[in-house]
Structure formats: C-alpha cells, structure tokens
Amino acid sequence: MRLIHFDKNSNLLKGAALLLGDFDGVHLGHQELVKAALSYKDIPHAALLFDQDPSFFLDNGKSKRILTTLEDKIALFESLGLDTAYIIHVDSSFFSLTPEEFIDAYLRPIEPYVLISGSDYRFGKKAAGDVTLLAKSFRLKTVDLLYREEKKIASRDIKKMISDGLVEVAQEELGRPYCLKGVVHEGFHNGRTIGFPTLNLHLEEPYILPKGGVYLTETEVNGKRYKSITNIGTNPTVGLLHHERVESYLKGFEGNAYEERISVYFLKRIRDEEKFSSLDELRAQLEKDKALLD
C-alpha cells in the first residue's frame, strides 16, 4: 500500500475514490465503504487516516482505548483492496479547524474523484461539517449505515462488547476476531513451574482489553498461528498483581519468544478468572482448559 504523509511537501496522489471516517476497528460498516470505493474502476482507492486516534485529544466522553492502531488500519484496508492511505498528523490544534478549513487544507489539494462516507459522517470543529456540506464541493457517495439486530454497527458499541467479554459478538461486527498485538516480555515464570509456560504480552498501544477472564484464542508468533488459552487478569492464586496481565499458553509452542512481536486473536470466552486454594487446583483447572485446544 502506498502511504502518503500529508504535509506541504507531499507528492499528493490525485483523482482517487477517497474514504472518509474515523475507522477504529475497520468493522463491517467501514468495509461497506471499501466496497463502494472499489466499484469505481481504473482509479486509485484510498482512505484518509489520522496518525493518532481523535479520542486522545477530544474530551467527548468516548473511551481513550482503541480497537485498531494506525498500523492495524493500514494492514486491514490493504487486505480489503485499497491501494493508498493519506495520513494526516493530528494534534490539539487540528481539531480546532472549521469544516471549511478542513476541506481547504486536506480535501481540495487531493482533488478526489469521489468522496465516500457513511451517511452520518461529521467533521471539523464541534463536528459541524456533514455530508450536505461536502456535496456542495465534491462528487459524493454516501453509504447507508449497517445495522445488526436493528442497531447500528459502531466502534463505540464494539468496544463495550469487548470490555464486557463478548468477544464472539464483537467478532460478528468486526468481521474477524478481535486482536491484541504487542511484544513478549519476561514474566514471573509462575506458569512454567506448574507445567503451563505462557507468553506475557506487553501492550505498547492503548488497546481496549477484553473483560478479565480466560479465553480460547489463537496466537501468532513469527508468522505461525498456534491454538492457545489466554488469561487476562491479576493472578489471584499465585500472587495478586496491581494491574491486569495478558498471558497465553500456546499448544505446541516451544521457546520463550522474548521481545518478539505477537498477535493474540480472541475467539471465545471460557470462564472468569478464579482464585484457587492451591496450585494443584489451579493446575487441574488449566488441564481442563487445555483440553479445549484438542
């Protein structure tokens, strides 16, 4: 995918079918925009992306946790068939731009063949801009909102599902399993002492965490996926921690993968995290969990 960082020195690609939106999660609703873009043949197909999530700068009551990083969005859009991403650097001053200033600074220089957005798209200071304003200056294709069980598919609601542990429902609206990505750090080796060595995932980005508990997952290490069991919690049996950890037992994996980047895909919630009266009880429960990988 071609990445164009939007600044005055950029060699801007022009004449694209250009997607507008926030795109956290690149969920099924966002994927409908991609389908609309790809219906325009023989022109570039692009998305306008921010280098940081707008929620980091806006005090609008929305979660500061994210479903997807910029890197995730780029990879997902590329897999869906887009060939270009314009990337805008954002800071607090960016969100003071009026809708007209945003259009003049970022949309007119691109000279898009067509803009594609959801029918509820808003932009500019105080979200004062809308599709009616865009249609005054550009060819515009609005895509109807996508509903599931009579409710609009929205990033905010998917975050709530994940934080409630409803990863299977979230998967239906994302169109894929929810994924955490990060680097393996050395842990306390508690799992290894009872025959269940785990990879301790250190999150470098503010991903939203699934509700504490035990999940059936798949974990990707060095391009290979392993069936896995992942615990999100504070290790109450071994020694209570002050923050939640993400630890995965991988079937068939040998080694420690320290400092390797891994991805953990959440398929199903198995149970709550429990405090057992002994390590033997914990080991017995882990054997039951492990059997689910067969």
Side-chain angles (χ1 to χ4, degrees):
M1 175 176 268
R2 180 179 180 182
L3 304 181
I4 301 175
H5 292 267
F6 207 111
D7 56 46
K8 293 181 180 179
N9 298 319
S10 291
N11 181 20
L12 296 177
L13 176 71
K14 299 182 179 181
L18 181 66
L19 275 61
L20 300 177
D22 177 53
F23 303 124
D24 191 20
V26 191
H27 55 58
L28 291 180
H30 300 142
Q31 293 171 38
E32 288 299 303
L33 301 187
V34 176
K35 292 177 184 177
L38 295 179
S39 70
Y40 293 89
K41 307 300 183 182
D42 302 320
I43 61 173
H45 305 101
L48 191 66
L49 304 178
F50 304 132
D51 64 352
Q52 297 185 73
D53 194 275
S55 66
F56 300 161
F57 300 93
L58 302 176
D59 186 18
N60 55 9
K62 292 185 178 180
S63 170
K64 305 299 183 184
R65 295 285 173 175
I66 60 175
L67 297 167
T68 43
T69 64
L70 174 62
E71 180 182 7
D72 296 333
K73 292 173 186 177
I74 291 169
L76 288 165
F77 275 132
E78 184 174 25
S79 72
L80 292 168
L82 296 191
D83 51 64
T84 303
Y86 294 96
I87 300 172
I88 297 175
H89 171 67
V90 297
D91 53 26
S92 57
S93 64
F94 172 82
F95 296 99
S96 67
L97 294 176
T98 66
E100 292 79 10
E101 288 171 336
F102 174 79
I103 288 173
D104 289 341
Y106 296 104
L107 298 185
R108 293 194 193 282
I110 295 175
E111 299 178 15
Y113 176 79
V114 60
L115 296 177
I116 300 171
S117 74
S119 57
D120 64 344
Y121 177 65
R122 311 288 298 199
F123 64 99
K125 186 177 181 180
K126 297 183 179 179
D130 60 11
V131 294
T132 301
L133 179 60
L134 289 175
K136 292 179 179 179
S137 300
F138 304 95
R139 180 185 288 111
L140 177 68
K141 169 69 174 177
T142 57
V143 177
D144 291 337
L145 302 178
L146 193 62
Y147 286 80
R148 178 181 172 276
E149 297 181 355
E150 302 183 352
K151 189 173 183 180
K152 181 184 76 171
I153 293 178
S155 302
R156 176 184 59 191
D157 295 330
I158 295 173
K159 289 180 183 180
K160 180 66 164 53
M161 294 170 193
I162 292 169
S163 65
D164 288 344
L166 304 176
V167 294
E168 292 175 273
V169 181
Q171 178 173 339
E172 293 180 11
E173 300 202 357
L174 288 169
R176 64 185 186 281
Y178 179 60
C179 179
L180 295 177
K181 297 181 180 180
V183 175
V184 176
H185 281 193
E186 187 171 4
F188 299 118
H189 303 288
N190 292 322
R192 190 176 300 278
T193 63
I194 58 174
F196 286 87
T198 60
L199 299 186
N200 177 33
L201 178 66
H202 173 71
L203 298 177
E204 298 175 317
E205 302 285 352
Y207 287 107
I208 192 160
L209 282 179
K211 180 181 179 180
V214 181
Y215 293 83
L216 181 65
T217 56
E218 288 185 349
T219 300
E220 184 173 330
V221 185
N222 292 324
K224 182 177 180 179
R225 285 203 188 190
Y226 298 84
K227 292 182 178 180
S228 53
I229 297 291
T230 297
N231 181 77
I232 296 179
T234 55
N235 295 342
T237 301
V238 178
L240 190 64
L241 302 172
H242 296 297
H243 59 86
E244 290 183 310
R245 295 166 64 92
V246 181
E247 298 178 285
S248 299
Y249 168 80
L250 281 58
K251 181 180 179 181
F253 176 79
E254 297 181 359
N256 55 50
Y258 294 151
E259 303 308 318
E260 295 284 351
R261 295 193 63 83
I262 67 171
S263 302
V264 182
Y265 299 87
F266 288 79
L267 307 179
K268 182 179 180 180
R269 182 177 171 85
I270 300 173
R271 60 179 175 85
D272 291 336
E273 186 178 43
E274 301 176 53
K275 181 176 181 178
F276 296 95
S277 60
S278 68
L279 289 179
D280 286 338
E281 283 191 13
L282 172 59
R283 185 186 296 108
Q285 180 59 60
L286 293 176
E287 288 289 355
K288 294 178 183 179
D289 296 340
K290 178 181 175 182
L292 298 173
L293 301 178
D294 295 335

